[in-house]
Amino acid sequence: MAPASEPVQPTRSGFLPGRVVHLHPTLTCNLACAHCYSSSSPQQGPGLDAATWRAALPWLRAQGYDQVSLSGGEPLVHPQLGELVAASQDAGLRVTLISNGLLADGRHGPRHDAVLDRLDGIAISFDGLAPVHNRLRGRSDAFARASDALARQADRGRPVAAAVSVTREALPDLPELAEHLVARGARALQVRPVAAAGRAQQLESNRFCSPVDLQRLYLVMLALQQELAPDVLVQCDLAPAQRLWQQREAYAALLARCADGDAPRRLSDLVNPLVVTETGRLKPIAYDFDSRHDIGSLADAGDALLAAYTAHGLPALRDLVGSALASLQRQPSPLVDWFDLLARRSAAGRIPLLPVAA
């Protein structure tokens, strides 16, 4: 998540340029990565039914959401993925997908090509060069397969990106990894430090980036932005705390207290991104946001759900975001992964909080 450098516009909702639904239709995955934020694996259940998603789309669209980002789990294993994508696009939403690449590299033939061809964007996930990537993924050919998937989708003319999760051990390899990914057709690199969520909570503490590591990561990203522009877009989920503080008006709609007679606010004005889990739970901001902040069930999507959330759930989110914004003025680290900061603050009082950029 890289906040835009232009002045905040009245229609902004949070630090994102669009209004996004992060849809996790399944936690089933053909891998069980050591750093998976959702603890996905081959043993997980079937996931969200396409009919439930389709029924909620008119309401989500009316609430102002314009993009769907599919992840998981591995979305390509969902038996109704084609229906999820088609229904979303028919409702007027832009649809992108992130995959580990094992089902997009051509080894299984063209059976996923039809749905991949419909997408507005594809990202293949990477964790470093082959030694680190394969170790985290628990599979000796994971890096080669992901690289092949990236190249195959680029060769087929698809708009393909690479999503890079960075542990401390992968940090020195970033320049070489970026060169590798761009050579295989990536036209965007989205980089973020691995967060202590899901299965990643079991990693040794020295696998996470320290505050000094984060500064190095940010400098590498700045250098890559200069080197690869304008052909390749480079984004990093780290942002200077002071820059985020200066753009705090992006949360004006959420932080404003609605008075009697005010026009009702859409959910996308208040919650961006919105997360839909494999069970149909609606959550603000991130998959690992504490359940105390859940909005409700996708099956109940409608004006009554929004009214109940605005009255009973929204004040807690408003206080959480407001206090997190205020903390930016005194951050011990100059760089912040904003969504991870919010997710960890959401669990305050339930689990021990890691220090910023632990």
Side-chain angles (χ1 to χ4, degrees), residues 284-349:
I285 312 299
Y287 184 88
D288 57 316
F289 230 70
D290 192 89
S291 60
R292 292 175 294 183
H293 292 275
D294 282 4
I295 296 163
S297 172
L298 188 68
D300 298 326
D303 293 341
L305 175 65
L306 178 58
Y309 175 69
T310 301
H312 304 294
L314 189 65
L317 181 66
R318 180 190 298 122
D319 292 344
L320 173 66
V321 173
S323 66
L325 284 169
S327 76
L328 297 175
Q329 293 182 293
R330 56 183 186 276
Q331 276 293 322
S333 171
L335 297 169
V336 172
D337 181 341
W338 173 246
F339 292 149
D340 181 52
L341 175 65
L342 291 179
R344 287 187 288 105
R345 281 176 167 262
S346 77

Side-chain angles (χ1 to χ4, degrees), residues 212-284:
V212 173
D213 294 326
L214 294 183
Q215 292 180 55
R216 291 171 179 157
L217 171 58
Y218 190 71
L219 290 174
V220 170
M221 290 300 99
L222 291 177
L224 289 173
Q225 286 173 349
Q226 293 295 317
E227 177 184 347
L228 299 176
D231 299 323
V232 179
L233 176 66
V234 178
Q235 295 179 306
C236 183
D237 279 7
L238 292 173
Q242 286 303 308
R243 185 192 302 172
L244 295 179
W245 170 250
Q246 291 164 5
Q247 296 188 17
R248 61 191 180 277
E249 286 300 314
Y251 279 97
L254 170 63
L255 299 179
R257 299 185 181 275
C258 190
D260 292 340
D262 286 353
R265 288 169 287 176
R266 300 177 301 175
L267 186 60
S268 70
D269 297 328
L270 308 170
V271 175
N272 189 33
L274 172 70
V275 176
V276 181
T277 73
E278 74 288 350
T279 62
R281 295 301 294 171
L282 301 176
K283 304 174 74 72

Side-chain angles (χ1 to χ4, degrees), residues 59-319:
W59 181 75
L60 290 171
R61 194 72 181 97
Q63 293 307 309
Y65 294 103
D66 53 21
Q67 302 176 39
V68 176
S69 175
L70 286 155
S71 54
E74 171 53 56
L76 290 175
V77 306
H78 195 290
Q80 298 177 310
L81 180 63
E83 296 177 54
L84 295 172
V85 172
S88 302
Q89 291 178 327
D90 289 347
L93 289 97
R94 184 174 180 269
V95 183
T96 60
L97 176 149
I98 183 169
S99 169
N100 61 37
L102 294 181
L103 297 176
D105 64 355
R107 284 173 171 80
H108 296 271
R111 65 188 176 108
H112 295 291
D113 285 352
V115 67
L116 290 171
D117 286 346
R118 288 200 61 141
L119 297 170
D120 297 289
I122 310 162
I124 306 298
S125 57
F126 290 85
D127 307 317
L129 293 173
V132 173
H133 183 95
N134 292 342
R135 185 161 56 250
L136 285 169
R137 306 261 165 158
R139 183 166 174 151
S140 61
D141 64 347
F143 183 80
R145 296 281 297 273
S147 299
D148 288 348
L150 181 65
R152 181 173 184 267
Q153 297 307 316
D155 289 345
R156 296 180 65 248
R158 307 308 304 146
V160 65
V164 183
S165 299
V166 180
T167 53
R168 192 176 195 184
E169 58 191 331
L171 184 55
D173 297 333
L174 274 179
E176 184 178 349
L177 177 62
E179 182 179 359
H180 172 86
L181 299 175
V182 171
R184 278 151 185 79
R187 289 297 167 258
L189 305 177
Q190 177 68 46
V191 181
R192 72 167 300 177
V194 167
R199 197 177 290 120
Q201 294 179 77
Q202 301 171 21
L203 292 174
E204 301 87 345
S205 60
N206 61 4
R207 304 282 290 278
F208 297 97
C209 290
S210 70
V212 173
D213 294 326
L214 294 183
Q215 292 180 55
R216 291 171 179 157
L217 171 58
Y218 190 71
L219 290 174
V220 170
M221 290 300 99
L222 291 177
L224 289 173
Q225 286 173 349
Q226 293 295 317
E227 177 184 347
L228 299 176
D231 299 323
V232 179
L233 176 66
V234 178
Q235 295 179 306
C236 183
D237 279 7
L238 292 173
Q242 286 303 308
R243 185 192 302 172
L244 295 179
W245 170 250
Q246 291 164 5
Q247 296 188 17
R248 61 191 180 277
E249 286 300 314
Y251 279 97
L254 170 63
L255 299 179
R257 299 185 181 275
C258 190
D260 292 340
D262 286 353
R265 288 169 287 176
R266 300 177 301 175
L267 186 60
S268 70
D269 297 328
L270 308 170
V271 175
N272 189 33
L274 172 70
V275 176
V276 181
T277 73
E278 74 288 350
T279 62
R281 295 301 294 171
L282 301 176
K283 304 174 74 72
I285 312 299
Y287 184 88
D288 57 316
F289 230 70
D290 192 89
S291 60
R292 292 175 294 183
H293 292 275
D294 282 4
I295 296 163
S297 172
L298 188 68
D300 298 326
D303 293 341
L305 175 65
L306 178 58
Y309 175 69
T310 301
H312 304 294
L314 189 65
L317 181 66
R318 180 190 298 122
D319 292 344

